[in-house]
Amino acid sequence: MFIDTHCHLSKDDYDDIEQVLEDNRKVGVSPIIISGCTRESILESLEYGKMYSDVFVTTGYHPSEASITTEEDLKLLEDQLQLKFVIGVGEIGLDYHYGKEDKEKQIILFEKQLALAEKYQLPVVIHSRDATLDTISILKKYSVTGVIHCFSGSYETALEYIKMGFILGIGGVVTFKNSKLGDVVSKIPIEKIVLETDSPYLTPTPYRGEVNSSKYIPLIAEKIASCKEISIEEVARITTDNAKRIFHLD
Ligand code: NI
């Protein structure tokens, strides 16, 4: 059994959600955790969380939403966080990849959502792109833990996050031919890793270029198993335990 701790499931990318979930279950990927991170995707995710017992949801506004997210949106988010199948806040964070023009707004939005996570003692799912230093210094101001989504940083950065109580979300990037992530994965404890696809993005090798799906989680697990020289069953068991622990799934 595997858990995909981070995916985006939208009708825009998948015609038949029911079929997607069925395909996942066939290869042992269940439950999945959908990240709703825009107004529209949050509503869609909540719909699926309500409908399927093996779908959990995290909700939170992505840094790309920083300039349009209102106080009202945040009030709504606070209400959504009370739902039983909403198990965390995210993905939230900082993204300086396309520039820093709205940096201040991103930081404000990030901090408001970290405060909510702290208030309700929910794990956070962190998006950090080209913003490691700010992300770390802001996270240190709050009493929160959670997942560093799509981690692809250095070994030193991995250790820093682990020291802060975070766990690393490892996805398709680890299977990419020129990725150095495998080296980092081989050095960090498997107890600090959860599996994720971030589908429809970041499709693992050998399906790069196609739409990603949670059914490819075993490919990621296989690569991690080879990096760590353990069996795929062990990767499945330990990463599933890790996910259950961090998201309080039991
Ligand atoms: Ni994502």
Side-chain angles (χ1 to χ4, degrees):
M1 173 203 174
F2 301 96
I3 298 180
D4 185 356
T5 62
H6 189 112
C7 62
H8 305 277
L9 213 55
S10 159
K11 285 178 195 119
D12 294 342
D13 300 301
Y14 307 97
D15 297 331
D16 188 348
I17 301 288
E18 200 89 28
Q19 187 62 51
V20 170
L21 293 173
E22 205 38 61
D23 291 345
N24 297 343
R25 292 176 194 127
K26 264 183 220 156
V27 293
V29 181
S30 168
I32 61 167
I33 302 173
I34 306 179
S35 164
C37 54
T38 61
R39 273 179 209 145
E40 299 73 28
S41 69
I42 286 174
L43 295 178
E44 228 179 353
S45 309
L46 295 178
E47 205 182 297
Y48 301 138
K50 245 175 260 168
M51 281 168 73
Y52 304 106
S53 60
D54 63 348
V55 170
F56 295 100
V57 176
T58 64
T59 58
Y61 291 95
H62 192 279
S64 63
E65 308 301 292
S67 54
I68 59 162
T69 304
T70 63
E71 279 306 313
E72 202 172 320
D73 291 324
L74 289 166
K75 185 73 205 57
L76 252 165
L77 176 68
E78 188 164 0
D79 292 341
Q80 289 155 352
L81 295 177
Q82 323 291 323
L83 294 166
K84 205 169 155 248
F85 53 84
V86 176
I87 56 169
V89 183
E91 53 184 285
I92 60 173
L94 301 173
D95 194 325
Y96 300 161
H97 186 69
Y98 300 103
K100 299 185 183 180
E101 304 79 53
D102 63 346
K103 183 177 160 178
E104 297 309 318
K105 281 181 180 164
Q106 287 191 33
I107 291 173
I108 291 168
L109 177 62
F110 187 27
E111 293 214 33
K112 281 182 177 169
Q113 296 183 102
L114 286 171
L116 282 177
E118 193 178 66
K119 180 175 173 185
Y120 294 102
Q121 298 193 329
L122 285 164
V124 291
V125 178
I126 302 300
H127 173 107
S128 175
R129 195 170 183 198
D130 299 345
T132 304
L133 291 180
D134 281 5
T135 301
I136 288 176
S137 72
I138 290 169
L139 283 175
K140 281 183 172 166
K141 292 161 67 178
Y142 295 84
S143 171
V144 292
T145 59
V147 177
I148 307 301
H149 154 56
C150 194
F151 180 79
S152 56
S154 67
Y155 177 57
E156 289 68 30
T157 304
L159 284 187
E160 179 72 15
Y161 281 129
I162 289 169
K163 206 168 74 192
M164 290 162 65
F166 283 84
I167 204 160
L168 310 176
I170 302 294
V173 173
V174 77
T175 70
F176 296 175
K177 204 173 162 196
N178 296 320
S179 167
K180 299 206 165 52
L181 189 56
D183 297 337
V184 178
V185 164
S186 69
K187 287 192 271 181
I188 53 177
I190 183 80
E191 285 74 22
K192 298 299 175 189
I193 292 175
V194 289
L195 308 178
E196 61 166 58
T197 57
D198 202 22
S199 54
Y201 317 109
L202 298 172
T203 312
T205 305
Y207 299 108
R208 286 188 82 174
E210 291 178 27
V211 175
N212 200 1
S213 164
S214 301
K215 72 181 176 193
Y216 294 143
I217 277 282
L219 294 173
I220 297 162
E222 201 172 78
K223 176 67 188 189
I224 293 173
S226 92
C227 291
K228 301 206 74 66
E229 297 177 346
I230 56 176
S231 68
I232 187 168
E233 289 77 16
E234 229 171 322
V235 172
R237 180 176 58 80
I238 300 171
T239 58
T240 295
D241 283 350
N242 299 343
K244 285 182 175 173
R245 194 170 59 244
I246 202 103
F247 288 108
H248 312 119
L249 285 180
D250 277 329

